[in-house]
Amino acid sequence: MMRPRESHGVRLETCSFDISLPHRLRWVRDLHENNIGLIDFTELASEMVIESDFTLDICERNPFDFILLPEAAEYPFSYDHDLLAELLPLSQNIYTRDVDRIRDWLHPFWHPGKKIETLKLLQQLNLHIYRTFRYQRREQKGVLSPAETLEKNGGSCRDFATLFMETCRFMGLAARFVSGYMYSSSITGRMSMHGWAEVYLPGAGWIGFDPSWGLVAASNYFPVAVSRHSEHAPPISGTYLGTRREFLRSQVDLYVKRTDEVSPLGLNFEVDDPKVLQNASNLESLNTTSGRQE
């Protein structure tokens, strides 16, 4: 899953894949409308290289250009019956053993009997994770549970997104994981895939929140795949014939750049503390800056 998802604000102009081995490639769409390329290799080899190149036409937009339905403007609220029937799987916690830890962590922001603006509550959670949790690049497979992220007070972008999603689900809100790309003129060099969350808000639809940077996802976020669970949206997955000892290593090189300007010199994504990339002092300017990549 590497091909960007098109939308009213994102149009895929060119798309190419170069695979080093003889193969058969066919495209399918899964239940989330993700574009998945299924590859069958026709010869054995000791090395495989997949190169992909995309050109996107982006419509710049204000990430706050939406209006919630009056009944959803203040939390708590409930989805109407027909909508809930569609969203129910995304509204239920995956890590059911962690709900007590989630409830305790959520309490300062919301608890039964308290009313608060819906967007304000979600952005408070989003910013709190960004400001108080320690970001870590993790090469290990899988995702930390919400309880593990809270215990460590840190994690990767997929861990932060999972904590945010499971908190939303605890509150009865539908949430899903997003894997994709991000662009920032302040950062150059090799990148990695990034992960964030989306929440379904009546009247607005799916709104992206990136707790790795406390941002509401703007037009510099390019979704590739969405899923109920972050582990179900790997860019490349599959099997090979051989022993575990025969697999030596894998390497990923990802670059995102504008085609209409020369990117300025900036910082590499491998900087130890990505918070040094912060160059905005308020919420609106935050949403013109990209965040951490993983």
Side-chain angles (χ1 to χ4, degrees):
M1 289 187 280
M2 300 168 62
R3 175 175 172 154
R5 292 166 62 100
E6 295 186 82
S7 68
H8 58 277
V10 178
R11 182 168 63 89
L12 188 62
E13 290 191 332
T14 65
C15 172
S16 66
F17 281 88
D18 186 9
I19 302 173
S20 63
L21 302 182
H23 66 279
R24 291 188 298 269
L25 172 63
R26 53 194 172 93
W27 289 95
V28 300
R29 287 192 176 183
D30 68 6
L31 74 165
H32 297 292
E33 293 294 316
N34 298 318
N35 295 299
I36 301 178
L38 301 177
I39 306 172
D40 295 317
F41 297 105
T42 57
E43 293 183 11
L44 298 178
S46 60
E47 180 183 71
M48 177 181 67
V49 178
I50 300 177
E51 294 185 4
S52 59
D53 186 77
F54 312 107
T55 302
L56 300 176
D57 181 30
I58 305 299
C59 178
E60 300 289 341
R61 63 181 178 84
N62 179 351
F64 297 98
D65 185 20
F66 59 84
I67 299 175
L68 301 184
L69 293 182
E71 58 268 27
E74 189 176 68
Y75 185 82
F77 71 89
S78 299
Y79 297 120
D80 67 46
H81 181 268
D82 291 339
L83 183 59
L84 180 59
E86 301 286 344
L87 296 175
L88 188 59
L90 296 170
S91 305
Q92 297 176 330
N93 284 105
I94 295 175
Y95 298 90
T96 55
R97 291 181 297 180
D98 291 359
V99 294
D100 290 338
R101 292 293 306 275
I102 293 172
R103 179 188 297 109
D104 294 341
W105 181 73
L106 175 64
H107 188 270
F109 305 96
W110 179 84
H111 50 269
K114 181 178 181 179
K115 291 186 177 182
I116 184 173
E117 292 180 7
T118 302
L119 187 59
K120 179 179 179 180
L121 171 60
L122 293 174
Q123 188 60 355
Q124 282 181 348
L125 297 173
N126 199 32
L127 284 168
H128 184 73
I129 295 174
Y130 162 67
R131 290 170 174 168
T132 63
F133 284 67
R134 182 169 54 90
Y135 175 81
Q136 300 170 304
R137 288 181 63 91
R138 287 202 310 109
E139 302 296 335
Q140 297 90 340
K141 181 180 178 180
V143 62
L144 298 179
S145 70
E148 290 174 317
T149 300
L150 292 171
E151 181 69 26
K152 295 176 180 293
N153 197 46
S156 66
C157 63
R158 63 186 185 274
D159 304 322
F160 292 164
T162 296
L163 173 60
F164 183 87
M165 291 188 301
E166 286 292 278
T167 302
C168 291
R169 291 165 178 167
F170 175 79
M171 297 188 295
L173 303 181
R176 64 187 185 183
F177 178 80
V178 187
S179 175
Y181 312 118
M182 182 187 290
Y183 169 78
S184 171
S185 60
S186 64
I187 306 173
T188 61
R190 183 176 62 86
M191 307 176 187
S192 298
M193 298 290 286
H194 189 49
W196 61 96
E198 286 183 341
V199 181
Y200 192 88
L201 301 176
W206 290 106
I207 301 299
F209 292 87
D210 183 1
S212 293
W213 275 102
L215 308 180
V216 175
S219 50
N220 59 322
Y221 284 76
F222 315 124
V224 169
V226 299
S227 179
R228 181 169 179 253
H229 197 303
S230 66
E231 293 185 359
H232 298 163
I236 298 176
S237 62
T239 59
Y240 73 98
L241 297 176
T243 66
R244 182 179 303 178
R245 185 178 302 174
E246 290 174 322
F247 182 82
L248 298 180
R249 65 186 178 89
S250 62
Q251 179 178 327
V252 178
D253 293 304
L254 171 65
Y255 298 90
V256 181
K257 63 180 181 179
R258 295 182 68 109
T259 59
D260 58 353
E261 68 178 23
V262 177
S263 299
L265 293 177
L267 296 173
N268 191 284
F269 276 100
E270 295 181 359
V271 63
D272 290 337
D273 182 9
K275 288 190 177 183
V276 302
L277 303 179
Q278 179 62 46
N279 63 358
S281 59
N282 57 53
L283 188 57
E284 289 191 6
S285 58
L286 270 173
N287 279 279
T288 65
T289 308
S290 78
R292 301 164 176 140
Q293 302 276 340
E294 182 193 355

